[in-house]
Amino acid sequence: MKIYNIGKTIKGIFIERPNRYLAKIKVNNEIENVHVHDPGRLHELLYINNEVLIKKANNSKRKTKYDLIAAKKENEYVLVNSMYHRYIAEKILKEKYKDLKAEVKYNNSRIDFLADNKIWIEIKGCTLSKNDVALFPDAPTNRGLKHLSELIELKNMGYETHVYFLIFSNAKFFSPNWETDPEFSKKLIEAKNTGVKIHPLLFSYKNDIIYFEKEIDLIE
């Protein structure tokens, strides 16, 4: 199922990531400063001499002329730009719900979506996979832990609650990343056992288009 057309990208070679939001990419024998719109560590994707895809930014006044879009892994490209997560999630959720509100306040947080005024939904992007298993997170996430606690609380109040993991690296199964973040992993299983519904959705990136492939199984 076709989900989203990213638009024309340019191939480049990853050189380094000086900070969380900036990468240096070699394009046509020149080094460009490229904006990184993903909080993950991405060590398995952003390493020296790996092939990446970048896209020219619409805003000409920006300090960086390009956005990092995807990075190569074996025979595929993996989306590494979380800016698109909302568009992808909206396309999927609008097929299921009539009314969809984004960034809805709950206590001191904002939950990604409230559907039909009664269903709370959180979205997480996943780029890491090993041995056919997608793993989230790739770095400890206090924010993610907080969101799970809030969904458990909402579930106990009688609401329907969901977590959608948007998986962009090919995998047959999904698992919380126990080694990297045992607290989040434990909380995810607690959420599942409380009745929060977990949806690991697999996507692919081909010719600058994102496709939905299927929902895969959660393993604990």
Side-chain angles (χ1 to χ4, degrees):
M1 176 183 174
K2 182 178 176 180
I3 295 294
Y4 193 84
N5 189 339
I6 296 289
K8 184 175 177 57
T9 60
I10 303 167
K11 287 184 181 180
I13 299 298
F14 180 83
I15 303 300
E16 63 174 330
R17 189 179 184 181
N19 62 54
R20 185 178 177 184
Y21 303 105
L22 181 68
K24 290 188 178 293
I25 307 295
K26 188 175 182 181
V27 183
N28 298 325
N29 293 319
E30 293 188 4
I31 305 298
E32 298 283 355
N33 289 325
V34 176
H35 178 61
V36 179
H37 201 292
D38 193 304
R41 290 177 177 168
L42 306 174
H43 292 323
E44 78 287 357
L45 296 168
L46 300 185
Y47 56 87
I48 190 166
N49 292 329
N50 192 33
E51 187 175 300
V52 297
L53 299 176
I54 64 175
K55 182 182 177 184
K56 198 160 188 177
N58 294 326
N59 185 354
S60 60
K61 296 181 180 180
R62 274 184 21 176
K63 291 182 179 179
T64 50
K65 292 192 298 184
Y66 295 94
D67 289 314
L68 182 64
I69 300 297
K72 196 164 189 179
K73 181 183 178 184
E74 298 174 353
N75 297 319
E76 66 173 342
Y77 283 103
V78 177
L79 183 74
V80 290
N81 191 310
S82 59
M83 179 180 72
Y84 296 99
H85 294 178
R86 178 175 170 178
Y87 306 138
I88 296 166
E90 283 181 340
K91 182 70 178 289
I92 294 290
L93 296 175
K94 283 180 177 178
E95 297 287 326
K96 302 179 68 172
Y97 304 110
K98 293 180 180 179
D99 181 56
L100 198 64
K101 296 182 178 69
E103 295 290 318
V104 180
K105 189 173 181 180
Y106 174 71
N107 290 337
N108 294 321
S109 295
R110 290 189 180 273
I111 305 297
D112 285 325
F113 293 101
L114 177 62
D116 297 340
N117 292 313
K118 60 182 180 181
I119 302 166
W120 295 86
I121 301 167
E122 186 63 25
I123 306 296
K124 303 294 181 190
C126 176
T127 59
L128 175 63
S129 68
K130 295 180 181 178
N131 302 319
D132 290 329
V133 180
L135 299 166
F136 183 91
D138 77 342
T141 171
N142 289 329
R143 185 169 179 267
L145 184 65
K146 182 181 180 186
H147 285 152
L148 289 180
S149 296
E150 289 165 341
L151 290 178
I152 291 170
E153 185 176 301
L154 285 162
K155 178 61 182 176
N156 288 332
M157 291 166 59
Y159 289 99
E160 186 176 327
T161 55
H162 299 253
V163 183
Y164 282 79
F165 289 94
L166 311 182
I167 299 166
F168 300 107
S169 182
N170 191 34
K172 295 179 180 177
F173 306 98
F174 170 77
S175 172
N177 196 342
W178 290 93
E179 182 178 351
T180 296
D181 195 338
E183 290 303 312
F184 176 89
S185 301
K186 190 188 304 180
K187 186 63 70 173
L188 182 65
I189 301 308
E190 179 188 339
K192 174 179 175 287
N193 292 337
T194 303
V196 178
K197 297 179 181 179
I198 313 299
H199 306 275
L201 304 185
L202 181 65
F203 295 84
S204 62
Y205 185 106
K206 302 170 186 173
N207 300 319
D208 295 326
I209 297 173
I210 299 166
Y211 295 89
F212 170 60
E213 299 294 341
K214 59 184 176 179
E215 184 163 348
I216 61 177
D217 291 332
L218 167 69
I219 56 175
E220 301 179 17

